[in-house]
Amino acid sequence: MIGYLSTSEALLDYCNQNDIRGIFYFRNCTSPNSKIKGLMAKGNHAFGFHAENTRTTETFQSELSSMKKSVPNGMLHSFTKHGSGKLKLGKNHYPPYEPEKYKEWVQTMGVPFYFGNEVVEEMDDFSPVDGFYPKMFWLKKEYRIESFATIEDVISAAKTETVPIIIHPANFVADTFVNSELKRLVDLSKENNIDWITEMS
């Protein structure tokens, strides 16, 4: 049995139990099955596309078209780019991270590009540029900068700013630090009356 979506199921179950809405980005090699779609609908989550082959407009369009066939009504909230920009992470993966190129594609592809792959360093990093957030807060410890590295920093920022949070489902299951940090973030957000959102303005 192929179990590549089991970690997504675990994260979705947790989010649904805690009334957390999120945007779940899928690659074509991990396209959502019927169970995932059911969990997504139950939690009112949004489907996103995690692009791999961004070498050309044509390769991106091909992947995007395939993903649209895998989600309800072909509706995608937005897309992101797979990888750190250096390592080749799969057969069809084109490693370079080229955000300016992706922003141009938004005009012709009709799918927004809201979130970049960079790491937050300070609170001002949460100010979007033309609706684009270049940096996100990573729950994985290795992708944090000392100047902005704690869940308390996130809670403080979220009182006045929209704070993009990134977590990989596999890390939620396999990484005890990531798992505990998400749960602590959820608890503190409830204590501070901070909502989780998927709408972007």
Side-chain angles (χ1 to χ4, degrees):
M1 177 181 292
I2 297 176
Y4 60 83
L5 287 173
S6 60
T7 55
S8 294
E9 291 176 14
L11 181 55
L12 279 164
D13 275 330
Y14 175 77
C15 289
N16 290 351
Q17 290 166 14
N18 288 276
D19 297 319
I20 298 170
R21 293 180 62 199
I23 309 163
F24 284 74
Y25 291 91
F26 296 90
R27 292 183 287 159
N28 280 313
C29 63
T30 59
S31 58
N33 58 22
S34 58
K35 185 172 184 179
I36 291 292
K37 291 175 185 177
L39 290 168
M40 291 282 290
K42 182 178 180 181
N44 197 25
H45 304 288
F47 287 91
F49 170 49
H50 202 44
E52 289 190 87
N53 194 344
T54 53
R55 183 183 298 274
T56 66
T57 304
E58 290 74 23
T59 59
F60 175 78
Q61 178 69 71
S62 177
E63 283 197 339
L64 180 64
S65 296
S66 294
M67 180 54 65
K68 284 184 175 181
K69 296 175 183 177
S70 300
V71 300
N73 302 314
M75 296 298 294
L76 291 167
H77 175 280
S78 52
F79 75 91
T80 52
K81 168 62 179 175
H82 182 51
S84 63
K86 298 178 181 179
L87 300 176
K88 184 174 176 60
L89 301 173
K91 177 183 177 182
N92 298 314
H93 183 228
Y94 179 66
Y97 171 61
E98 304 167 305
E100 296 307 313
K101 182 167 73 174
Y102 313 148
K103 291 177 187 177
E104 293 177 3
W105 289 349
V106 169
Q107 307 303 317
T108 55
M109 304 296 178
V111 178
F113 176 57
Y114 290 126
F115 306 113
N117 291 2
E118 298 176 49
V119 178
V120 166
E121 298 180 50
E122 58 186 12
M123 186 166 171
D124 287 346
D125 288 340
F126 294 120
S127 298
V129 179
D130 296 327
F132 175 66
Y133 293 81
K135 302 180 180 183
M136 293 190 283
F137 183 82
W138 296 63
L139 287 181
K140 192 168 179 63
K141 189 174 184 178
E142 291 80 358
Y143 289 91
R144 298 189 192 179
I145 302 296
E146 186 176 352
S147 56
F148 196 101
T150 70
I151 296 301
E152 287 75 16
D153 289 334
V154 173
I155 292 297
S156 178
K159 291 177 180 179
T160 57
E161 305 288 341
T162 296
V163 179
I165 303 291
I166 181 170
I167 178 173
H168 288 79
N171 292 330
F172 175 72
V173 173
D175 189 321
T176 55
F177 176 81
V178 170
N179 185 288
S180 64
E181 286 285 90
L182 176 61
K183 291 177 179 178
R184 195 155 67 90
L185 179 58
V186 170
D187 289 342
L188 287 175
S189 66
K190 290 178 180 178
E191 290 176 16
N192 288 272
N193 297 312
I194 296 171
D195 294 327
W196 293 70
I197 63 172
T198 57
E199 294 85 359
M200 305 304 301
S201 58

